[in-house]
Amino acid sequence: AQSVSQHNHHVILSEAASLELGCNYSYGGTVNLFWYVQYPGQHLQLLLKYFSGDPLVKGIKGFEAEFIKSKFSFNLRKPSVQWSDTAEYFCAVRGSQGNLIFGKGTKLSVKP
Amino acid sequence: ETGVTQTPRHLVMGMTNKKSLKCEQHLGHNAMYWYKQSAKKPLELMFVYNFKEQTENNSVPSRFSPECPNSSHLFLHLHTLQPEDSALYLCASSQDSNYGYTFGSGTRLTVV
């Protein structure tokens, strides 16, 4: 079955620290990959997406993600986090039926 | 505002009640989705509608009944729910399979 694994349930960082959130997927076909963010009390928002081309994808608010096909990974990174990045982050892959399959999410808490 | 509006934002209902959740989008999207978001679990896809036709029912219990009268509106009718159905119910829409989803803010449902 297609699935997405996010290994970190809760990550706590200080401001200005670098961030990397892991995401691995199990799907052998052409992949469309996404990262969504959910700020406290708000809706899910698209951070970035990968369909094809350059495996290093830049998104909004300074986030980027790298697609590594050999590792089935699509890790999210940010060089220097801010308190306002406190949120829950969801990785997703488009499945064979065209629907998005989400991971369990990673909560990021940034200490000021 | 995301362009996808869900009402009500919060709902408390007894196990014998009947209620409905509403989702509305005026983005011109042709696909709409219901997801269930529970703590510490991945977002669970419940139903998919493409051009008003239901294309997926992800083994959802019959106490959840979707309705899509047109491509802009999606309902989730609820009856005889169980306490474990308490969750955040998210509606999303998309243009087609080449795009990500636009999510609503969700309805926080509590079954007592």
Side-chain angles (χ1 to χ4, degrees), chain B residues 32-47:
Chain B
M32 296 185 77
Y33 312 83
W34 279 116
Y35 276 87
K36 177 183 178 182
Q37 186 177 22
S38 305
K40 299 184 180 180
K41 294 176 70 174
L43 273 78
E44 301 171 55
L45 178 65
M46 300 177 72
F47 300 104

Side-chain angles (χ1 to χ4, degrees), chain A residues 7-96:
Chain A
H7 309 294
N8 306 105
H9 176 61
H10 193 183
V11 172
I12 302 173
L13 295 173
S14 298
E15 274 194 315
S18 64
L19 170 72
E20 182 160 2
L21 301 182
C23 172
N24 289 94
Y25 61 92
S26 63
Y27 179 56
T30 301
V31 286
N32 295 159
L33 294 157
F34 305 80
W35 275 100
Y36 281 83
V37 61
Q38 189 173 31
Y39 297 103
Q42 295 191 29
H43 60 273
L44 279 155
Q45 302 174 46
L46 182 66
L47 263 183
L48 48 79
K49 61 181 184 279
Y50 171 80
F51 286 167
S52 63
D54 189 343
L56 185 62
V57 181
K58 295 199 182 294
I60 61 171
K61 304 186 182 186
F63 286 90
E64 64 180 31
E66 185 175 12
F67 168 55
I68 303 179
K69 187 175 181 179
S70 61
K71 295 184 178 180
F72 296 88
S73 70
F74 190 55
N75 292 355
L76 181 70
R77 299 194 294 245
K78 185 170 184 179
S80 175
V81 294
Q82 301 172 323
W83 177 79
S84 57
D85 293 322
T86 295
E88 191 158 12
Y89 293 82
F90 295 89
C91 182
V93 64
R94 190 181 303 283
S96 58

Side-chain angles (χ1 to χ4, degrees), chain B residues 7-20:
Chain B
T7 54
R9 291 294 300 272
H10 300 272
L11 177 63
V12 179
M13 59 185 289
M15 289 190 285
T16 59
N17 292 158
K18 288 185 179 182
K19 297 286 184 183
S20 296

Side-chain angles (χ1 to χ4, degrees), chain A residues 36 102, chain B residues 4 6 23 25 29 31-35 47 49 74 90-94 101-104:
Chain A
Y36 281 83
F102 286 86
Chain B
V4 178
Q6 289 187 244
C23 177
Q25 61 92 6
H29 291 172
M32 296 185 77
Y33 312 83
W34 279 116
Y35 276 87
F47 300 104
Y49 279 83
L74 185 64
L90 293 169
C91 175
S93 69
S94 67
Y101 295 176
T102 300
F103 282 89

